């Protein structure tokens, strides 16, 4: 009989095989497991520091013990699943994995574990870890560097990580393409070494406490398509770096401390779809080069210190759906040229110093759901054409110098939120809500 690699003699009798005394079998089995432990440690010594195997409480020692004693797969050191399975268990034991409430069952293949994704057609090449909000409490082990196919890592909303600076191990994951670290309680400055991650396409670390400037070396990250860092304390020259990212589709730096003027080089971002600059201190005029952003769908620069006029060139941003320039100090009229924005759903220009009448062409924006023009210097009549906006749910025109007469067509709109100065009254004499525009 062979047990754990050892041959144990048995005797055949009429009543079946007779095994030698249990004490001998246990001794042999213990020796077998000790040898197996040695084999695992030797095999994994290129993945982990061998010194960690000498510490009984280390995540590395716990991972090996789990493979030998608890894993139903009963892998041998040279099995293909051994290394990725071991690495993930090191991560597990290094971050209080017993409290994660994830389905990392010992009866399943590694690539069948919850929130573990592998290269198509394989059972061993881990390509993505989606560990958002699972309650990680610890550090990211260096063993992760040996997941050579790992291109996406999301550890967002785990705010009890011990390492509060930018995780150093991530700076060595040169193959990574998507990195999400939002809401992890990280702080300090962004290290210049992040520029080594030249394959990054999506970088997200919003809702943390990062401060300081963005390293100028980041301009080398030319494959970036999404850069989302809202709700931090960053400042400095954003666009000197960001305008080098020609593939950029989404830039979100809302609620930081950037205070520069928006440069004419903004026009280099031809692929940008979302530009979110809300709650900073950007100053000066909006450059006419905004008209070069032919892919732009959302332009949000609310709550800054912009002045000057709304550039007519924005009309060239034909896909534009959201235009939010509220809470600035813009002083122009609302350009007629913007009437060509046929996909617009959200226009917010309140809390500026805009003047002139409310344009009648706004009534042709059939998809418009929100129009807020409050607290400006607008004059004249409320256009009856606004009554054509059947999709409109929010209309704010208060605190201007408008006529108090509200056209009946506007009164007939089924709005969730209507704010007009208290003296405003509906024109009931001509009111007919059955009228079909």
């Amino acid at each position: 009989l062979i047990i754990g690699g050892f041959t144990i003699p048995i005797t055949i009798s009429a009543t079946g095989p007779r095994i030698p005394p249990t004490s001998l079998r246990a001794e042999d089995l213990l020796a077998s497991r000790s040898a197996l432990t040695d084999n695992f440690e030797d095999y994994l010594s290129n993945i982990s520091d061998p010194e960690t195997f000498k510490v009984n409480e280390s995540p590395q020692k716990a991972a090996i013990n789990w493979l030998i004693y608890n894993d139903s797969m009963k892998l041998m050191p040279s099995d293909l699943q051994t290394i990725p399975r071991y690495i993930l268990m090191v991560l597990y034991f290094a971050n209080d994995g017993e409290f994660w409430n994830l389905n990392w069952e010992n009866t399943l293949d590694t690539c069948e574990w919850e929130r573990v994704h592998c290269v198509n057609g394989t059972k061993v090449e881990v390509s993505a870890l989606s560990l958002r909000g699972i309650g990680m409490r610890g550090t990211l082990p260096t063993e992760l560097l040996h997941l050579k196919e790992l291109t996406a890592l999301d550890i967002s909303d785990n705010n009890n990580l011990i390492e509060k600076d930018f995780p150093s191990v991530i700076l060595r994951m040169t193959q990574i393409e998507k990195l999400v670290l939002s809401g992890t309680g990280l702080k300090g400055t962004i290290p210049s070494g992040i520029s080594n991650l030249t394959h990054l396409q999506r970088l997200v670390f919003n809702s943390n406490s990062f401060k300081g400037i963005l390293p100028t070396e980041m301009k080398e990250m030319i494959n970036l398509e999404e850069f989302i860092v809202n709700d931090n304390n960053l400042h400095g020259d954003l666009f000197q770096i960001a305008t080098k990212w020609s593939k950029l589709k989404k830039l979100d730096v809302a609620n930081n401390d950037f205070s520069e003027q928006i440069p004419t080089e903004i026009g280099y971002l031809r692929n940008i779809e979302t530009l979110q600059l809300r709650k900073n201190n950007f100053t000066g005029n909006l450059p006419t080069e905004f008209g070069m952003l032919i892919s732009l769908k959302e332009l949000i620069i609310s709550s800054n210190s912009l002045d000057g006029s709304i550039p007519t060139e924005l009309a060239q941003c034909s896909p534009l759906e959201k235009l939010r320039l509220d809470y600035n100090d813009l002083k122009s009229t609302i350009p007629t040229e913007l009437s060509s924005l046929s996909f617009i759903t959200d226009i917010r220009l309140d809390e500026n110093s805009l003047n002139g009448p409310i344009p009648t062409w706004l009534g042709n924006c059939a998809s418009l759901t929100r129009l807020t023009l409050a607290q400006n210097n607008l004059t004249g009549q409320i256009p009856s054409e606004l009554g054509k906006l059947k999709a409109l749910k929010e209309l704010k025109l208060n605190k201007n110098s408008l006529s108090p007469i509200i056209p009946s067509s506007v009164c007939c709109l089924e709005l969730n939120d209507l704010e007009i100065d208290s003296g405003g009254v509906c024109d009931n004499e001509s009111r007919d809500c059955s009228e079909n525009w």
Side-chain angles (χ1 to χ4, degrees):
L1 177 66
I2 298 176
I3 298 179
F6 289 85
T7 302
I8 300 176
I10 63 173
T11 302
I12 304 296
S13 69
T15 58
R18 182 169 59 85
I19 300 176
T22 302
S23 58
L24 178 60
R25 181 175 62 183
E27 291 174 1
D28 290 338
L29 188 58
L30 187 61
S32 171
R33 286 180 170 176
S34 177
L36 188 58
T37 298
D38 291 341
N39 288 339
F40 267 103
E41 291 180 358
D42 288 343
Y43 189 78
L44 296 171
S45 61
N46 291 327
I47 305 298
S48 298
D49 182 351
E51 293 298 314
T52 62
F53 301 144
K54 301 176 182 179
V55 182
N56 287 331
E57 302 300 321
S58 72
Q60 293 78 9
K61 187 69 173 181
I64 288 179
N65 287 339
W66 183 87
L67 287 170
I68 296 173
Y69 299 111
N70 301 104
D71 189 6
S72 296
M73 299 289 285
K74 298 302 178 187
L75 300 173
M76 291 292 103
S78 59
D79 287 335
L80 289 177
Q81 285 201 52
T82 295
I83 288 179
R85 206 168 178 85
Y86 165 75
I87 292 172
L88 293 183
M89 291 312 297
V90 171
L91 175 67
Y92 178 93
F93 287 114
N95 287 275
D96 287 349
E98 61 269 29
F99 301 110
W100 287 3
N101 194 28
L102 287 187
N103 184 22
W104 284 16
E105 292 292 337
N106 58 6
T107 58
L108 298 174
D109 285 335
T110 310
C111 293
E112 295 176 344
W113 284 356
E114 189 176 355
R115 305 202 193 186
V116 176
H117 310 277
C118 292
V119 176
N120 290 338
T122 76
K123 291 185 177 182
V124 295
E125 296 180 352
V126 177
S127 60
L129 294 175
S130 304
L131 305 178
R132 177 179 181 178
I134 61 171
M136 293 174 63
R137 300 179 61 180
T139 60
L140 296 179
T142 58
E143 283 79 3
L144 290 174
L145 297 172
H146 294 272
L147 296 178
K148 298 300 184 182
E149 301 299 323
L150 184 66
T151 57
L153 177 63
D154 182 349
I155 59 169
S156 58
D157 298 332
N158 291 289
N159 59 7
N160 289 314
L161 294 176
I162 293 174
E163 190 174 12
K164 290 303 182 183
D165 292 330
F166 199 99
S168 57
V169 66
I170 290 177
L171 300 178
R172 298 163 60 190
M173 295 181 177
T174 54
Q175 81 283 4
I176 205 78
E177 297 174 2
K178 299 176 182 178
L179 179 61
V180 184
L181 305 175
S182 53
T184 48
L186 297 175
K187 60 183 181 180
T189 57
I190 308 301
S192 60
I194 197 172
S195 62
N196 295 327
L197 307 183
T198 55
H199 293 286
L200 261 183
Q201 300 171 11
R202 186 169 191 255
L203 177 56
V204 183
F205 53 84
N206 60 290
S207 304
N208 283 295
S209 298
F210 287 115
K211 62 182 180 180
I213 63 173
L214 299 177
T216 56
E217 292 87 350
M218 291 185 68
K219 66 175 66 174
E220 305 300 326
M221 302 170 69
I222 58 176
N223 289 306
L224 268 183
E225 297 180 7
E226 293 188 23
F227 184 62
I228 303 172
V229 297
N230 55 289
D231 298 301
N232 281 281
N233 298 300
L234 298 169
H235 61 87
D237 196 340
L238 168 68
F239 290 108
Q240 181 184 4
I241 297 169
T243 52
K244 306 297 183 184
W245 300 333
S246 60
K247 297 180 181 180
L248 198 64
K249 295 180 179 179
K250 183 172 184 177
L251 176 65
D252 187 345
V253 298
N255 200 20
N256 277 283
D257 296 318
F258 294 106
S259 58
E260 62 192 292
Q261 291 191 16
I262 300 174
T264 57
E265 288 81 1
I266 193 73
Y268 295 160
L269 300 178
R270 300 295 182 88
N271 292 302
I272 197 78
E273 296 177 0
T274 298
L275 187 56
Q276 168 62 277
L277 309 178
R278 179 178 55 89
K279 288 190 176 181
N280 282 279
N281 193 32
F282 290 109
T283 60
N285 297 336
L286 291 171
T288 58
E289 283 76 9
F290 269 107
M292 300 170 65
L293 307 183
I294 56 176
S295 301
L296 191 62
K297 295 181 180 180
E298 297 185 11
L299 177 59
I300 303 173
I301 322 182
S302 310
S303 302
N304 280 279
S305 300
L306 300 174
D307 54 26
S309 60
I310 300 174
T312 59
E313 288 79 5
L314 282 176
Q316 300 169 31
C317 305
S318 55
L320 196 63
E321 299 174 4
K322 291 185 179 181
L323 176 61
R324 291 193 54 187
L325 304 176
D326 45 316
Y327 295 90
N328 281 287
D329 193 25
L330 300 171
K331 297 180 174 66
S332 66
T333 59
I334 301 173
T336 302
E337 288 81 359
L338 300 188
S339 61
S340 63
L341 298 176
S342 57
F343 295 102
I344 199 77
T345 64
D346 188 346
I347 297 178
R348 302 189 217 180
L349 303 175
D350 37 315
E351 296 265 1
N352 278 286
S353 298
L354 299 174
N355 54 68
I358 298 175
T360 57
W361 59 259
L362 285 168
N364 297 323
C365 300
S367 300
L368 201 61
T369 61
R370 177 176 287 171
L371 176 62
T372 63
L373 306 175
Q375 292 190 246
N376 280 286
N377 299 318
L378 300 174
T379 58
Q381 306 290 324
I382 299 174
S384 60
E385 286 81 359
L386 296 184
K388 295 190 289 185
L389 301 174
K390 302 305 180 184
L392 195 66
K393 296 302 178 185
E394 181 177 334
L395 177 62
K396 295 182 179 181
L397 306 176
N398 56 304
K399 296 186 179 180
N400 281 288
S401 298
L402 299 168
S403 167
I405 302 301
I406 307 172
S408 61
S409 59
V410 175
C411 292
C412 291
L413 291 173
E414 297 180 359
L415 300 170
N416 295 331
D417 190 359
L418 172 63
E419 293 186 17
I420 295 179
D421 289 329
S422 58
V425 293
C426 284
D427 180 11
N428 290 319
E429 291 186 7
S430 59
R431 185 173 185 177
D432 181 4
C433 290
S434 64
E435 184 177 356
N436 185 10
W437 278 86

